[in-house]
Amino acid sequence: MPDDVARQVPPPPVALLAELTHRCPLSCPYCSNPVEMVPRGSEMNTADWARVFDEAAALGVLQLHLSGGEPAARRDLEDLVAAARGAGLYVNLITSGLGLTEARLDALEAAGLDHVQLSLQGVRPEVSDRIGGVAGAFDRKMALARSVVARGLPLTLNAVMHRHNLDDLPATIMLAEALGARRIEVACVQFHGWAAINRAGLMPTRAQTEAAKATVAAARARLKGRLVIDFVPPDYHADFPKSCMGGWGSTGLNVAPDGTVLPCHAAQSIPGMTFPNVREVPLALAWAHSPAFNAFRGTDWMPEPCRSCDRRSIDQGGCRCQALAILGDAAAPDPVCRRTPGRAQLDRLLAGLPGPEAAPAPLTPRAAVR
Amino acid sequence: MTGPVLSAEIVPRLPRGVRLHDDRVRGCPVLLGPERAVMLDPVGAAILGELDGARSLGEIAARLAERYAAPAEEIGADVAAFVADLAERRLVELGNA
C-alpha cells in the first residue's frame, strides 16, 4: 500500500518559471508568450505570488526564474524577490534590461537576487533594436550588463538566435566574454506561438546551423572555466528531437500571470486540455495529480515507435507542442525524429521555407504590451 | 580526470551567486548556481563546507584527512579533482593564497 502511493507521486520539480506579467516594452517577432496574453487586471498580486513561492519551495523547487513579459514591469518586483529568497529559492531574474534603473538594481540586490539573465536580440545595435523594436535598447542593455558584473552578481546573456543574427554568433560569444558574463545561453528560436507565425523569416539555413554548432564547440574548448555555454540548436535540422522540459511534468513547471499552472510555456496551445490554477488548488496537487500534468508524463502515453524506442528515456518523445504544431496531434512523436513517419511532414515544411540563396521572409513584430 | 592537477596552494571559494542549500525535500545538500543545481553526496558537501576563501586546497585536504582519519594524499587528489570540475563549470573560483 505505501509502495502504491509512493509510485503515484512523481519526483519533485527542480525549477519553476514564474511569468509575473505578459507586459513587455519589446515587440520581438518570436515572443514566447501565448498568442492570447493575460491582461494586467488578471495578474496575481504580491501575496498570491509569495504563497506560490512558499508552496514551490515546500514541493522541492530549487530554482525560481522570474520572467514575463518583462518582470521589471511589475512595481513589486523587489518584494517578490525578497519573498522568493525568504522561501529559500535560488532567484534568477530573466529580463530585457529595460526598466531596471540603478536604484532598482540596488533594491533587487538588497532583496537577495542571486542571478541576472539578460536577453539579447542582437550583438549589433541596429539588429538588436530592429528585432526588439525599441530604439536605443542595445545601449541600455549594455549599461545594465556592466552594472550587474560590477556588482559581482553572476550575469548570463540569453542570446536568442535565428536567421537574421546567427551569423553573428562568434561576435555574440566574444561580447559575453568582454562583458565578464559567467554564462551565455545560445538559444535558437523554437517555433511556437508568435515565432511560428514568423517561421519563414526566422528559420536558420542548414549551413548556418552547422556553422553555429562548430562555433559553439570551438568556443567551449577555448573558454572552459571562464564562460559556460549552453546551446539550444534549431531542432528542425536535427535527426532526433530535443528532450523538451526534460520530459513533461518531470523537472519543471510554469505559472502564468493569472495563476494558471502549466507543464511548459506553450502548453496552452494544446486544445482540449484544462490546466489547474494555483489560486484554486495547491501547487503540489497541480503538479502531482492534475490530468494536464499526467497527460504526457513518463512513457505510458507514448505511441509507437517511441514506446519501444531505445531513445525514449533520452528525449521522452520530444516536444508535445511541436507535434501539435506540425502534425496537429500533441500525442504524436515529435516530427523532428527521423525514425517517425511525421518527419516527412516536417521535411515538406522545411522545403517550403526560403533557401540559402533567397532572402528571408520579412518579420511581423508583436505589438508591445505596456 | 583530465587537465592539469590543481596546486595545493590554490585557495578555492564559492563566488557570489553560488551557494550551498540544504534540500529538505530530497534530503541532501545541493550546490545552487546560475541554472545549475548540483546534488551533493556527503563527501562533496564536506569539501565545500571547508571553503572559506582563506584555506588552501592543501589545508582543506589536511583537515578532511584528520576528520575522517584517511590518507592525506588520497584525500588531496579527490579534493583537487572535485574542485577542478566545479571550477570548470564556474561554480567555484580559484584564487592564490
Side-chain angles (χ1 to χ4, degrees), chain A residues 105-116:
Chain A
L105 272 179
D106 288 344
L108 290 169
E109 213 181 345
L113 182 64
D114 283 298
H115 169 221
V116 176

Side-chain angles (χ1 to χ4, degrees), chain A residues 60 63 90 114 151 182, chain B residues 16-17 19 26 36 90:
Chain A
Q63 292 265 355
Y90 187 93
D114 283 298
R151 289 164 189 268
R182 280 193 215 168
Chain B
R16 186 150 172 218
R19 52 192 170 85
R26 295 172 189 80
R36 298 290 187 269
R90 292 222 58 180

Side-chain angles (χ1 to χ4, degrees), chain A residues 333-355:
Chain A
D334 188 324
V336 164
C337 183
R338 293 193 187 275
R339 294 177 182 175
T340 68
R343 179 70 208 194
Q345 179 66 22
L346 185 67
D347 283 334
R348 273 195 295 279
L349 191 152
L350 264 176
L353 295 177

Side-chain angles (χ1 to χ4, degrees), chain B residues 11-14 47-56 59-60 63:
Chain B
V11 177
R13 66 179 187 95
L14 297 184
I47 295 171
L48 292 179
E50 292 292 328
L51 270 58
D52 67 352
R55 289 179 199 132
S56 68
E59 286 163 345
I60 290 167
R63 287 169 63 94

Side-chain angles (χ1 to χ4, degrees), chain A residues 122-145:
Chain A
V123 74
R124 287 179 282 143
E126 67 274 19
V127 174
S128 157
D129 298 355
R130 176 166 55 85
I131 297 288
V134 174
F138 182 79
D139 291 343
R140 289 160 73 186
K141 284 165 182 283
M142 292 304 103
L144 177 88

